[in-house]
Amino acid sequence: AQSVTQPDIHITVSEGASLELRCNYSYGATPYLFWYVQSPGQGLQLLLKYFSGDTLVQGIKGFEAEFKRSQSSFNLRKPSVHWSDAAEYFCAVMLGGGADGLTFGKGTHLIIQP
Amino acid sequence: NAGVTQTPKFRILKIGQSMTLQCTQDMNHNYMYWYRQDPGMGLKLIYYSVGAGITDKGEVPNGYNVSRSTTEDFPLRLELAAPSQTSVYFCASSYSREAGEQFFGPGTRLTVL
């Protein structure tokens, strides 16, 4: 079965510093890949997605992610974080051609230090 | 455009009670989904629907039922509520499988005591 691993449960970053959140997936084929953000008490909002093509994808709020097939990874990055980026971040995958929803990682809680 | 709306926002149930979580979307999306989110865990798929009259089980369907009589509505029914169903429930919709992006509602926080 496909699975998604986010190895970091919590990450603390100083405001203005760069950020990288890790995501690895386990599946034979390349799935569709997503990053979602969840602010406290809110639903999930899509940051970016990768289906095919250019392996570096740009998203909203200054985020980007790079797909590396050889490492089965889809890491999320931001060059300079803001206090408003404090939230829970979820990596998710969906099988191409399947309608059976998203498989999510357990999430990474991002804390921003002033 | 309201997007995906869910009611109620919060609910406390006693063991053995039943209830329906409502989900409505006004984006004319064919695909709709129910997820549950437990602390420290990602979201897990309960049921999904690819159109009116068509539903299918996800990863954790036991204890739940769904129906899809219209494109807009996708209610989730809990029969005989159990403490293990204490969770936050999210409804989501998407235009198509290929579009990929799912739009999420704000969630329903359910506690079963």
Side-chain angles (χ1 to χ4, degrees):
Chain A
Q2 61 180 328
S3 65
V4 181
T5 302
Q6 292 181 247
D8 304 304
I9 298 173
H10 301 277
I11 280 189
T12 300
V13 178
S14 297
E15 190 168 15
S18 63
L19 170 71
E20 183 170 30
L21 302 182
R22 296 182 289 165
C23 173
N24 293 95
Y25 65 91
S26 172
Y27 192 69
T30 299
Y32 297 167
L33 297 158
F34 305 83
W35 275 100
Y36 280 84
V37 62
Q38 184 182 31
S39 298
Q42 303 296 314
L44 279 70
Q45 181 184 22
L46 180 70
L47 287 175
L48 45 78
K49 62 186 178 185
Y50 173 78
F51 287 0
S52 64
D54 192 347
T55 57
L56 185 63
V57 294
Q58 302 298 319
I60 63 171
K61 304 184 180 186
F63 285 92
E64 66 179 24
E66 185 173 13
F67 168 62
K68 292 185 177 179
R69 185 188 306 274
S70 61
Q71 298 176 18
S72 298
S73 68
F74 188 56
N75 294 349
L76 181 72
R77 302 194 295 245
K78 186 170 185 178
S80 177
V81 298
H82 186 261
W83 63 266
S84 60
D85 293 324
E88 193 83 18
Y89 291 80
F90 292 97
C91 182
V93 306
M94 182 172 70
L95 289 178
D100 54 353
L102 296 169
T103 298
F104 285 84
K106 293 184 178 181
T108 297
H109 184 60
L110 177 61
I111 300 166
I112 306 295
Q113 280 184 337
Chain B
N1 250 1
V4 179
T5 58
Q6 294 182 236
T7 56
K9 285 185 168 47
F10 305 93
R11 183 74 186 268
I12 298 175
L13 283 182
K14 294 182 179 178
I15 295 172
Q17 287 185 320
S18 61
M19 76 164 293
T20 299
L21 281 66
Q22 301 292 345
C23 175
T24 300
Q25 52 90 12
D26 63 359
M27 298 174 282
N28 201 32
H29 285 171
N30 289 320
Y31 293 75
M32 295 188 75
Y33 308 85
W34 275 106
Y35 295 90
R36 60 177 287 172
Q37 183 182 29
D38 300 313
M41 305 293 290
L43 282 70
K44 291 189 183 295
L45 183 66
I46 305 171
Y47 271 95
Y48 67 97
S49 169
V50 302
I54 306 170
T55 62
D56 207 346
K57 296 177 180 179
E59 184 182 358
V60 290
N62 291 344
Y64 307 94
N65 280 300
V66 293
S67 59
R68 184 94 182 271
S69 57
T70 67
T71 299
E72 295 78 17
D73 300 307
F74 189 41
L76 177 72
R77 178 83 177 164
L78 279 71
E79 306 280 4
L80 298 175
S84 61
Q85 295 177 302
T86 294
S87 190
V88 181
Y89 291 85
F90 289 99
C91 179
S93 71
S94 66
Y95 176 71
S96 70
R97 184 175 60 237
E98 290 71 25
E101 178 178 3
Q102 294 184 13
F103 294 83
F104 283 80
T108 294
R109 184 175 295 274
L110 175 67
T111 302
V112 182
L113 300 174

